[in-house]
Amino acid sequence: MSAAATSPEPPTTDLPFRDPALPLARQVDDLISRLTLDERIELLYQYSPGVPRLGLAPFKRKASAR
């Protein structure tokens, strides 16, 4: 199969959720639409492995103040 026959993900810098000029709601909608169900679930935990294909780095969520 040739490289032209495959459609790779666009560069992560060109994705709408990375565009600060867009309204936040549109950025969030775009990001969520690109995540798989498993990726969405992983982001709910305190330690997230990130999503390399979208350029999201791993992170540890800070404990919230109560």
Side-chain angles (χ1 to χ4, degrees), residues 21-40:
L22 292 177
L24 181 60
R26 181 152 176 225
Q27 290 175 296
V28 170
D29 288 344
D30 180 69
L31 175 58
I32 291 172
S33 74
R34 294 173 188 280
L35 294 169
T36 66
L37 178 58
D38 288 339
E39 290 167 341
R40 292 177 194 185

Side-chain angles (χ1 to χ4, degrees), residues 16-63:
F17 74 85
R18 296 230 179 237
D19 185 352
L22 292 177
L24 181 60
R26 181 152 176 225
Q27 290 175 296
V28 170
D29 288 344
D30 180 69
L31 175 58
I32 291 172
S33 74
R34 294 173 188 280
L35 294 169
T36 66
L37 178 58
D38 288 339
E39 290 167 341
R40 292 177 194 185
I41 292 168
E42 287 177 348
L43 291 173
L44 295 173
Y45 295 101
Q46 181 178 3
Y47 296 94
S48 171
V51 184
R53 68 182 181 82
L54 295 178
L56 300 178
F59 68 90
K60 177 184 177 204
R61 186 181 328 260
K62 293 181 181 178

